[in-house]
Amino acid sequence: MTRRALITGITGQDGAYLAEFLLGRGYEVHGMVRRASTATFERINHLRDRLTLHQADLLDQLSIVNLIREVRPHEVYNLAAQSFVPTSWLQPLLTGEFTALGVTRMLEAVRLVDRDIRFYQASSSEMFGKVREEPQHESTPFWPRSPYGVAKVYGHWITVNYRESYEMFACSGILFNHESPLRGKEFVTRKVTDGVARIKLGLQQKLKLGNLDAMRDWGFAGDYVKAMWTMLQQEAPDDYVVATGQKHSVRQLVELAFGHAGLDWRQHVETDPALFRPAEVNTLRGDAAKARKVLGWRPEVDFAGLVRMMVDADLERVRREAG
Ligand code: NAP
Ligand code: GDD
């Protein structure tokens, strides 16, 4: 029997990689998209004829219930969220509606329609925030540092709660930062690789960044979506940290990306105090031992390979766009 999956956030970075991965495994893939005056399908255009897209919104409970009734998926991947941390200080209530309560709306819809549907929640290493220990694993206490992080803590615990209250197959994947050529340009890796490409091709001189000392455990999105799927194939639902176990600073990212294009970053990068955050997550490094042991999951792309992949993709794209 063909398995059906429903992905919320299918137009985002992870949604595009997950959709491609599931299609490759023979799934019938459905995506939830919200109405916009201009389509946001850029990342999934190459898959469009193999996907079924449905309009619904995380804010609208009835639209979600109707969608799950119509599709009757075997698996739901809840990736949709307001996912950019700085925006969460500008729009804390909206972030709470999408990123926190949106999870309950999804879980309620699954509970009402069919409790046997398997559910994946996109939780985040941002929940560890002001880290209590290093590396961070599944039982490291949370100390979120942004309205986004606080909303994700809610999303995590409501997922655990529905599992415990209703015996639903609900998993929370605590994913550390993962990047790719499809990453939004506001996130630091893509901002840097896009900036490198534009500077290399003479379209821009300077790149303004915030805190160069922040450290992250950066992996490749294509590797991380495999962990999401594997979580839903287990006998029992559980929560997993997904990370590379290596951390690097924004400064190291910048050095590597500019260096790969033959540029000296010191001549181009300026720091802008406006880009510093009201409260920062200074460092993150995950311990994915449980995912390794139970899921057999391992990242295939390392940090240097990821940065090279992103710089090369942006160089090619900017060259093409510049004619
Ligand atoms: P992304 O590129 O920002 O994509 C977010 C998606 O959510 C988009 O498809 C967006 O649709 C959709 N969305 C937002 N609000 C919605 C609403 N009200 N109704 C329906 N759809 C809505 O994020 P990503 O990097 O792929 O991340 C996927 C998920 O993993 C997010 O929940 C994120 O918080 C979480 N996460 C990401 C990382 C990471 O490093 N990437 C790490 C940990 C957790 P539009 O196209 O219409 O905007
Ligand atoms: N965006 C951005 N822009 N970040 C900068 C900049 C800049 O110009 N300069 C320095 N940084 C620093 C930020 O202060 C932060 O410490 C780090 O770079 C990473 O920022 P982002 O790439 O915006 O990612 P994030 O870690 O805040 O959040 C991402 O990862 C989370 C998982 O830990 C997002 O994808 C979240 O949705 C995800 O949950």
Side-chain angles (χ1 to χ4, degrees), residues 55-94:
Q55 252 183 41
D57 197 296
L58 282 180
L59 296 183
D60 191 302
Q61 180 74 71
L62 197 56
S63 71
I64 301 171
V65 174
N66 284 337
L67 171 60
I68 298 204
R69 268 205 190 113
E70 186 188 336
V71 174
R72 288 305 289 255
H74 301 96
E75 297 169 11
V76 169
Y77 295 86
N78 184 37
L79 310 186
Q82 191 303 96
S83 76
F84 189 47
V85 173
T87 296
S88 76
W89 279 285
L90 300 175
Q91 301 179 356
L93 296 176
L94 192 75

Side-chain angles (χ1 to χ4, degrees), residues 83 124-125 148 177 183 186 188 191 210 214 216 277 280:
S83 76
S124 165
S125 51
Y148 168 83
N177 299 49
R183 187 59 141 152
E186 66 274 39
V188 73
K191 182 172 173 182
R216 289 290 183 276
R277 299 178 179 184
E280 175 66 292

Side-chain angles (χ1 to χ4, degrees), residues 32-283:
M32 176 178 121
V33 294
R34 54 179 167 168
R35 198 261 160 194
S37 64
T38 321
T40 57
F41 302 154
E42 202 180 312
R43 294 185 178 103
I44 50 168
N45 267 336
H46 60 300
L47 307 172
R48 275 302 290 285
D49 56 347
R50 293 191 285 154
L51 300 173
T52 312
L53 302 181
H54 309 258
Q55 252 183 41
D57 197 296
L58 282 180
L59 296 183
D60 191 302
Q61 180 74 71
L62 197 56
S63 71
I64 301 171
V65 174
N66 284 337
L67 171 60
I68 298 204
R69 268 205 190 113
E70 186 188 336
V71 174
R72 288 305 289 255
H74 301 96
E75 297 169 11
V76 169
Y77 295 86
N78 184 37
L79 310 186
Q82 191 303 96
S83 76
F84 189 47
V85 173
T87 296
S88 76
W89 279 285
L90 300 175
Q91 301 179 356
L93 296 176
L94 192 75
T95 300
E97 286 288 350
F98 286 7
T99 306
L101 285 177
V103 187
T104 311
R105 293 192 192 95
M106 290 300 304
L107 285 162
E108 273 293 273
V110 169
R111 184 179 73 82
L112 287 169
V113 176
D114 177 1
R115 288 185 196 185
D116 288 336
I117 295 171
R118 297 188 168 204
F119 183 85
Y120 172 85
Q121 167 56 20
S123 294
S124 165
S125 51
E126 272 286 310
M127 302 190 300
F128 297 121
K130 190 171 175 179
V131 295
R132 304 286 83 201
E133 60 183 332
E134 179 168 333
Q136 297 84 50
H137 50 83
E138 289 77 6
S139 47
T140 299
F142 300 140
W143 188 321
R145 297 271 282 168
S146 62
Y148 168 83
V150 174
K152 281 289 178 186
V153 171
Y154 174 93
H156 169 80
W157 283 120
I158 199 71
T159 303
V160 172
N161 181 259
Y162 270 56
R163 181 167 78 218
E164 293 176 352
S165 304
Y166 304 115
E167 294 185 3
M168 283 167 53
F169 197 110
C171 299
S172 171
I174 307 174
L175 271 50
F176 282 62
N177 299 49
H178 44 279
E179 320 291 316
S180 73
L182 298 185
R183 187 59 141 152
K185 284 188 198 154
E186 66 274 39
F187 299 93
V188 73
T189 51
R190 186 75 200 288
K191 182 172 173 182
V192 168
T193 61
D194 176 63
V196 164
R198 294 178 57 78
I199 290 168
K200 181 71 181 176
L201 298 174
L203 300 172
Q204 180 178 319
Q205 283 305 309
K206 298 288 178 196
L207 180 65
K208 286 189 179 175
L209 294 173
N211 181 10
L212 300 183
D213 295 321
M215 304 195 88
R216 289 290 183 276
D217 179 332
W218 278 296
F220 171 51
D223 287 340
Y224 284 43
V225 298
K226 294 180 192 160
M228 298 177 187
W229 174 78
T230 313
M231 281 178 217
L232 295 198
Q233 312 314 311
Q234 301 306 302
E235 277 193 8
D238 208 343
D239 309 319
Y240 297 89
V241 158
V242 178
T244 69
Q246 308 289 319
K247 69 175 180 181
H248 297 89
S249 64
V250 174
R251 185 176 284 98
Q252 286 172 304
L253 159 74
V254 163
E255 272 172 10
L256 202 59
F258 277 81
H260 183 58
L263 296 168
D264 178 359
W265 70 278
R266 287 178 195 78
Q267 292 176 6
H268 302 284
V269 171
E270 291 174 352
T271 50
D272 179 352
L275 293 169
F276 283 67
R277 299 178 179 184
E280 175 66 292
V281 172
N282 292 318
T283 181

